[in-house]
Amino acid sequence: MEKEILENYHKAKEVSDKVIEFTKGLVKENKKILTIAESMEKKIFELGAKPAWPINISINEVAAHYTPDMNDPLTLKVNALVKVDMGIHVNGYIWDRAFTVCIGKESHPLIQASEKALQEALKIVKPGIKVCEISEVIENTIKEFGFNPIRNLCGHGLEQYNQHAPPSIPNGKNTIQTEIKDQAIAIEVFVTNGAGLVKDSFPTLIFKYKQDKPVRLPEARKILEKSKTEFEKLPFTKRWLNISPFKIDLALKQLLDVDAIFDYPVLKEETNGLVAQAEETTIVK
Ligand code: MN
Ligand code: MN
Protein backbone atom coordinates (compact mmCIF):
# COMPACT_ATOMS: atom_id res chain seq x y z
CA MET A 1 0.00 0.00 0.00
CA GLU A 2 1.31 3.47 -0.90
CA LYS A 3 2.72 5.61 1.89
CA GLU A 4 0.19 8.41 1.35
CA ILE A 5 -2.77 6.02 1.57
CA LEU A 6 -1.34 4.45 4.73
CA GLU A 7 -1.00 7.90 6.31
CA ASN A 8 -4.69 8.56 5.70
CA TYR A 9 -5.61 5.24 7.31
CA HIS A 10 -3.34 5.93 10.28
CA LYS A 11 -4.91 9.34 10.80
CA ALA A 12 -8.43 7.82 10.58
CA LYS A 13 -7.47 5.15 13.13
CA GLU A 14 -5.94 7.73 15.45
CA VAL A 15 -9.15 9.77 15.37
CA SER A 16 -11.25 6.64 15.97
CA ASP A 17 -9.15 5.79 19.07
CA LYS A 18 -9.88 9.25 20.48
CA VAL A 19 -13.57 9.07 19.58
CA ILE A 20 -13.90 5.66 21.29
CA GLU A 21 -12.27 7.05 24.43
CA PHE A 22 -14.65 10.05 24.30
CA THR A 23 -17.68 7.81 23.68
CA LYS A 24 -17.10 5.58 26.72
CA GLY A 25 -18.27 8.36 29.01
CA LEU A 26 -21.39 8.94 26.92
CA VAL A 27 -23.01 5.51 26.57
CA LYS A 28 -24.75 5.49 29.95
CA GLU A 29 -28.19 4.99 31.48
CA ASN A 30 -30.76 7.68 30.56
CA LYS A 31 -28.55 9.20 27.86
CA LYS A 32 -30.37 10.20 24.69
CA ILE A 33 -28.96 8.34 21.69
CA LEU A 34 -29.43 11.49 19.60
CA THR A 35 -27.06 13.37 21.92
CA ILE A 36 -24.54 10.52 21.77
CA ALA A 37 -24.53 10.34 17.97
CA GLU A 38 -24.39 14.11 17.49
CA SER A 39 -21.57 14.62 19.97
CA MET A 40 -19.55 11.78 18.43
CA GLU A 41 -20.02 13.17 14.93
CA LYS A 42 -19.03 16.65 16.14
CA LYS A 43 -15.94 15.21 17.82
CA ILE A 44 -14.90 13.47 14.58
CA PHE A 45 -14.97 16.80 12.71
CA GLU A 46 -13.11 18.57 15.55
CA LEU A 47 -10.35 15.97 15.29
CA GLY A 48 -9.88 16.68 11.59
CA ALA A 49 -11.69 13.69 10.08
CA LYS A 50 -15.22 13.05 8.80
CA PRO A 51 -17.90 10.49 9.68
CA ALA A 52 -18.03 7.97 6.82
CA TRP A 53 -21.68 7.35 7.79
CA PRO A 54 -24.04 8.46 10.55
CA ILE A 55 -23.09 6.92 13.91
CA ASN A 56 -25.13 3.71 14.23
CA ILE A 57 -26.58 3.03 17.69
CA SER A 58 -28.51 -0.24 17.57
CA ILE A 59 -30.17 -1.70 20.65
CA ASN A 60 -30.94 -5.31 21.73
CA GLU A 61 -32.43 -7.31 18.81
CA VAL A 62 -31.60 -4.53 16.35
CA ALA A 63 -28.27 -5.61 14.89
CA ALA A 64 -27.41 -2.62 12.71
CA HIS A 65 -28.44 0.44 10.70
CA TYR A 66 -30.27 2.32 13.43
CA THR A 67 -29.15 5.91 13.69
CA PRO A 68 -31.07 8.52 15.69
CA ASP A 69 -33.83 10.21 13.72
CA MET A 70 -34.50 13.96 13.87
CA ASN A 71 -35.72 14.71 17.42
CA ASP A 72 -35.33 11.04 18.35
CA PRO A 73 -36.50 10.73 22.00
CA LEU A 74 -34.91 7.29 22.60
CA THR A 75 -32.82 7.01 25.78
CA LEU A 76 -30.67 4.14 27.06
CA LYS A 77 -32.22 1.87 29.68
CA VAL A 78 -30.53 -0.48 32.16
CA ASN A 79 -29.61 -3.86 30.60
CA ALA A 80 -29.89 -2.56 27.04
CA LEU A 81 -27.32 -4.16 24.74
CA VAL A 82 -26.07 -1.14 22.80
CA LYS A 83 -23.97 -1.44 19.65
CA VAL A 84 -22.09 1.67 18.56
CA ASP A 85 -20.74 1.46 15.01
CA MET A 86 -18.59 4.24 13.61
CA GLY A 87 -16.87 4.89 10.31
CA ILE A 88 -14.23 7.59 10.29
CA HIS A 89 -12.60 8.70 7.07
CA VAL A 90 -9.70 10.85 5.99
CA ASN A 91 -9.78 11.65 2.26
CA GLY A 92 -12.11 8.69 1.79
CA TYR A 93 -9.95 6.13 3.60
CA ILE A 94 -12.29 4.63 6.17
CA TRP A 95 -11.61 3.16 9.60
CA ASP A 96 -14.63 1.04 10.54
CA ARG A 97 -15.10 -0.18 14.11
CA ALA A 98 -17.82 -1.06 16.55
CA PHE A 99 -18.25 -2.07 20.17
CA THR A 100 -21.11 -3.14 22.41
CA VAL A 101 -22.01 -1.98 25.91
CA CYS A 102 -24.56 -3.45 28.33
CA ILE A 103 -26.02 -0.46 30.16
CA GLY A 104 -25.45 -0.61 33.92
CA LYS A 105 -23.32 -3.79 33.66
CA GLU A 106 -19.59 -4.47 33.47
CA SER A 107 -20.09 -6.75 30.49
CA HIS A 108 -22.39 -9.42 29.04
CA PRO A 109 -21.66 -12.97 27.79
CA LEU A 110 -22.66 -11.97 24.24
CA ILE A 111 -20.19 -9.08 24.36
CA GLN A 112 -17.45 -11.38 25.65
CA ALA A 113 -18.13 -13.84 22.83
CA SER A 114 -18.06 -11.12 20.16
CA GLU A 115 -14.81 -9.61 21.45
CA LYS A 116 -13.10 -13.00 21.79
CA ALA A 117 -14.14 -14.01 18.26
CA LEU A 118 -12.84 -10.69 16.90
CA GLN A 119 -9.49 -11.14 18.68
CA GLU A 120 -9.12 -14.75 17.49
CA ALA A 121 -9.87 -13.72 13.90
CA LEU A 122 -7.44 -10.77 14.00
CA LYS A 123 -4.72 -13.14 15.24
CA ILE A 124 -4.83 -15.25 12.07
CA VAL A 125 -5.34 -12.47 9.50
CA LYS A 126 -2.35 -12.22 7.15
CA PRO A 127 -1.82 -12.03 3.38
CA GLY A 128 -2.89 -15.29 1.74
CA ILE A 129 -5.36 -16.38 4.42
CA LYS A 130 -8.65 -17.59 2.96
CA VAL A 131 -12.02 -16.04 3.83
CA CYS A 132 -13.33 -19.47 4.93
CA GLU A 133 -10.48 -19.82 7.44
CA ILE A 134 -11.38 -16.51 9.12
CA SER A 135 -15.10 -17.39 9.20
CA GLU A 136 -14.35 -20.77 10.74
CA VAL A 137 -12.41 -19.20 13.64
CA ILE A 138 -15.23 -16.71 14.21
CA GLU A 139 -18.00 -19.33 14.27
CA ASN A 140 -16.01 -21.81 16.38
CA THR A 141 -15.20 -19.16 19.01
CA ILE A 142 -18.81 -18.01 19.21
CA LYS A 143 -20.05 -21.61 19.53
CA GLU A 144 -17.68 -22.18 22.48
CA PHE A 145 -19.75 -19.56 24.32
CA GLY A 146 -22.96 -21.37 23.35
CA PHE A 147 -24.18 -18.64 20.97
CA ASN A 148 -24.76 -18.27 17.24
CA PRO A 149 -23.02 -16.07 14.69
CA ILE A 150 -25.30 -13.95 12.51
CA ARG A 151 -24.81 -15.73 9.19
CA ASN A 152 -26.05 -13.05 6.84
CA LEU A 153 -23.83 -10.28 8.23
CA CYS A 154 -20.23 -10.06 7.10
CA GLY A 155 -16.87 -8.42 7.53
CA HIS A 156 -15.60 -6.82 4.36
CA GLY A 157 -12.87 -5.03 2.48
CA LEU A 158 -12.57 -1.24 2.55
CA GLU A 159 -11.58 0.96 -0.38
CA GLN A 160 -11.43 4.71 -0.84
CA TYR A 161 -14.99 6.05 -0.50
CA ASN A 162 -16.31 2.46 -0.48
CA GLN A 163 -17.48 1.23 2.91
CA HIS A 164 -18.27 -2.28 1.68
CA ALA A 165 -15.65 -3.54 -0.77
CA PRO A 166 -14.89 -7.19 -1.60
CA PRO A 167 -14.33 -9.69 -0.15
CA SER A 168 -17.28 -10.36 2.14
CA ILE A 169 -16.15 -12.27 5.23
CA PRO A 170 -19.19 -14.10 6.66
CA ASN A 171 -19.57 -14.77 10.39
CA GLY A 172 -20.67 -18.34 9.68
CA LYS A 173 -18.62 -21.21 8.22
CA ASN A 174 -18.44 -21.37 4.42
CA THR A 175 -16.22 -22.61 1.59
CA ILE A 176 -15.10 -19.23 0.17
CA GLN A 177 -11.51 -19.72 -1.06
CA THR A 178 -10.80 -16.02 -1.77
CA GLU A 179 -7.45 -15.01 -0.28
CA ILE A 180 -6.96 -11.81 1.68
CA LYS A 181 -4.25 -9.69 0.07
CA ASP A 182 -2.44 -6.44 0.88
CA GLN A 183 -5.59 -4.44 1.69
CA ALA A 184 -7.73 -2.84 4.38
CA ILE A 185 -10.38 -5.14 5.81
CA ALA A 186 -12.91 -4.92 8.62
CA ILE A 187 -13.50 -8.00 10.73
CA GLU A 188 -17.09 -7.58 11.87
CA VAL A 189 -18.42 -10.10 14.36
CA PHE A 190 -22.11 -10.36 15.25
CA VAL A 191 -23.19 -12.76 18.01
CA THR A 192 -26.73 -13.62 19.08
CA ASN A 193 -28.66 -15.86 21.42
CA GLY A 194 -31.28 -16.06 18.67
CA ALA A 195 -31.35 -18.12 15.46
CA GLY A 196 -28.57 -16.15 13.77
CA LEU A 197 -30.15 -14.32 10.86
CA VAL A 198 -31.17 -10.70 10.39
CA LYS A 199 -34.00 -9.38 8.27
CA ASP A 200 -34.89 -5.94 6.96
CA SER A 201 -37.16 -4.07 9.33
CA PHE A 202 -38.47 -0.56 10.07
CA PRO A 203 -37.63 2.29 10.05
CA THR A 204 -35.17 3.26 7.31
CA LEU A 205 -32.90 6.05 8.47
CA ILE A 206 -29.78 5.66 6.33
CA PHE A 207 -29.44 6.39 2.60
CA LYS A 208 -26.65 6.72 0.04
CA TYR A 209 -26.15 8.22 -3.42
CA LYS A 210 -26.64 5.77 -6.28
CA GLN A 211 -26.99 7.68 -9.57
CA ASP A 212 -28.20 10.95 -11.08
CA LYS A 213 -31.89 10.94 -12.03
CA PRO A 214 -34.32 13.77 -12.73
CA VAL A 215 -36.69 14.44 -9.82
CA ARG A 216 -39.55 16.89 -9.48
CA LEU A 217 -39.33 18.16 -5.88
CA PRO A 218 -36.68 20.85 -5.30
CA GLU A 219 -35.97 19.22 -1.90
CA ALA A 220 -35.26 15.91 -3.65
CA ARG A 221 -32.83 17.64 -6.02
CA LYS A 222 -31.15 19.30 -3.04
CA ILE A 223 -30.74 15.94 -1.23
CA LEU A 224 -29.27 14.28 -4.34
CA GLU A 225 -26.80 17.16 -4.74
CA LYS A 226 -25.76 16.99 -1.06
CA SER A 227 -25.39 13.20 -1.28
CA LYS A 228 -22.72 13.70 -3.94
CA THR A 229 -20.92 16.79 -2.66
CA GLU A 230 -21.29 17.16 1.11
CA PHE A 231 -21.56 13.42 1.86
CA GLU A 232 -19.14 12.36 -0.91
CA LYS A 233 -21.39 9.46 -2.04
CA LEU A 234 -21.09 7.85 1.41
CA PRO A 235 -24.13 7.04 3.60
CA PHE A 236 -26.13 9.88 5.16
CA THR A 237 -29.23 10.32 7.32
CA LYS A 238 -32.22 12.64 7.58
CA ARG A 239 -30.91 14.68 10.51
CA TRP A 240 -27.89 15.69 8.39
CA LEU A 241 -30.01 17.20 5.62
CA ASN A 242 -31.31 20.52 7.00
CA ILE A 243 -34.52 20.19 5.05
CA SER A 244 -38.02 20.85 6.33
CA PRO A 245 -39.27 17.74 8.17
CA PHE A 246 -42.52 18.14 6.25
CA LYS A 247 -40.80 17.62 2.90
CA ILE A 248 -38.05 15.20 3.79
CA ASP A 249 -39.92 11.88 3.58
CA LEU A 250 -41.59 12.76 0.30
CA ALA A 251 -38.27 13.88 -1.19
CA LEU A 252 -36.53 10.67 -0.10
CA LYS A 253 -39.41 8.59 -1.48
CA GLN A 254 -39.10 10.30 -4.87
CA LEU A 255 -35.38 9.58 -4.94
CA LEU A 256 -35.97 5.93 -4.03
CA ASP A 257 -38.77 5.57 -6.61
CA VAL A 258 -36.44 6.68 -9.43
CA ASP A 259 -33.54 4.57 -8.09
CA ALA A 260 -31.30 7.60 -7.43
CA ILE A 261 -30.35 6.52 -3.87
CA PHE A 262 -29.83 3.33 -1.87
CA ASP A 263 -31.67 2.78 1.41
CA TYR A 264 -30.48 0.73 4.38
CA PRO A 265 -33.41 -0.44 6.51
CA VAL A 266 -32.84 -1.30 10.15
CA LEU A 267 -31.67 -4.93 10.49
CA LYS A 268 -33.30 -7.02 13.23
CA GLU A 269 -32.48 -10.51 14.43
CA GLU A 270 -35.38 -12.51 13.00
CA THR A 271 -36.18 -14.39 16.23
CA ASN A 272 -35.68 -11.20 18.31
CA GLY A 273 -32.51 -12.60 19.84
CA LEU A 274 -30.16 -10.17 21.56
CA VAL A 275 -27.22 -9.11 19.41
CA ALA A 276 -23.68 -8.01 20.27
CA GLN A 277 -21.17 -6.68 17.73
CA ALA A 278 -17.40 -6.25 17.79
CA GLU A 279 -15.57 -4.80 14.81
CA GLU A 280 -12.10 -3.61 13.96
CA THR A 281 -10.34 -2.54 10.80
CA THR A 282 -6.89 -3.84 9.98
CA ILE A 283 -4.37 -3.18 7.22
CA VAL A 284 -3.21 -6.56 5.99
CA LYS A 285 0.42 -6.56 4.93
MN1 MN B 1 -19.02 -0.88 11.19
MN1 MN C 1 -18.23 -2.81 8.75
Side-chain angles (χ1 to χ4, degrees):
M1 203 174 277
E2 285 169 42
K3 189 165 167 271
E4 199 188 317
I5 297 176
L6 270 176
E7 280 170 8
N8 285 316
Y9 276 121
H10 287 155
K11 169 81 178 162
K13 184 198 180 316
E14 211 179 278
V15 171
S16 81
D17 285 340
K18 289 180 182 157
V19 173
I20 285 203
E21 210 37 54
F22 169 77
T23 307
K24 277 181 186 157
L26 289 176
V27 186
K28 296 256 160 73
E29 189 186 354
N30 294 328
K31 279 274 185 188
K32 261 177 113 161
I33 63 164
L34 179 60
T35 311
I36 298 171
E38 285 182 339
S39 35
M40 286 177 72
E41 288 160 5
K42 186 164 165 257
K43 192 79 184 170
I44 294 168
F45 281 110
E46 280 171 9
L47 293 166
K50 291 180 183 175
W53 50 80
I55 298 291
N56 283 212
I57 303 178
S58 306
I59 300 172
N60 293 339
E61 73 280 4
V62 179
H65 296 171
Y66 192 95
T67 192
D69 203 350
M70 297 174 289
N71 305 314
D72 199 319
L74 206 62
T75 60
L76 297 178
K77 301 281 184 289
V78 168
N79 290 328
L81 211 52
V82 183
K83 292 149 290 281
V84 180
D85 188 308
M86 67 193 80
I88 289 168
H89 83 87
V90 175
N91 298 317
Y93 296 99
I94 303 166
W95 207 264
D96 181 5
R97 66 203 297 188
F99 63 90
T100 304
V101 170
C102 185
I103 303 299
K105 298 274 164 68
E106 280 284 301
S107 190
H108 187 286
L110 286 163
I111 299 176
Q112 288 163 357
S114 66
E115 284 174 356
K116 183 82 192 306
L118 173 62
Q119 291 316 319
E120 293 301 314
L122 286 170
K123 269 187 213 165
I124 63 159
V125 169
K126 56 172 193 248
I129 190 140
K130 292 172 183 165
V131 165
C132 62
E133 296 176 274
I134 301 173
S135 300
E136 185 172 0
V137 165
I138 293 173
E139 173 163 345
N140 285 346
T141 309
I142 293 170
K143 287 279 168 68
E144 282 169 23
F145 283 81
F147 299 127
N148 288 317
I150 295 190
R151 294 177 185 282
N152 56 347
L153 288 175
C154 301
H156 48 85
L158 289 156
E159 286 168 1
Q160 191 181 25
Y161 292 107
N162 181 1
Q163 84 284 9
H164 237 159
S168 280
I169 307 167
N171 281 298
K173 285 184 194 175
N174 57 72
T175 56
I176 302 167
Q177 301 297 310
T178 309
E179 290 181 7
I180 305 295
K181 44 183 205 283
D182 178 1
Q183 62 186 151
I185 59 165
I187 303 289
E188 183 161 6
V189 175
F190 283 92
V191 182
T192 182
N193 57 7
L197 285 171
V198 288
K199 60 176 182 190
D200 286 355
S201 183
F202 298 98
T204 300
L205 296 156
I206 300 173
F207 305 88
K208 178 179 159 0
Y209 173 84
K210 189 171 189 181
Q211 58 187 331
D212 282 342
K213 288 278 182 177
V215 272
R216 202 165 35 84
L217 261 189
E219 286 80 4
R221 289 201 289 274
K222 191 174 161 195
I223 293 172
L224 196 57
E225 185 55 31
K226 274 178 177 256
S227 73
K228 281 194 290 184
T229 53
E230 191 177 337
F231 310 134
E232 301 170 274
K233 301 185 182 178
L234 286 163
F236 63 91
T237 187
K238 289 199 261 183
R239 62 187 160 78
W240 286 4
L241 290 171
N242 263 320
I243 281 176
S244 157
F246 303 105
K247 293 284 176 64
I248 220 163
D249 288 324
L250 188 60
L252 287 166
K253 187 181 180 304
Q254 272 195 7
L255 290 166
L256 285 169
D257 285 347
V258 299
D259 206 25
I261 56 172
F262 296 99
D263 61 338
Y264 299 90
V266 159
L267 297 171
K268 269 191 195 163
E269 210 286 320
E270 67 170 19
T271 56
N272 288 321
L274 293 170
V275 179
Q277 175 194 17
E279 179 176 25
E280 180 59 288
T281 296
T282 182
I283 308 286
V284 185
K285 58 178 183 232

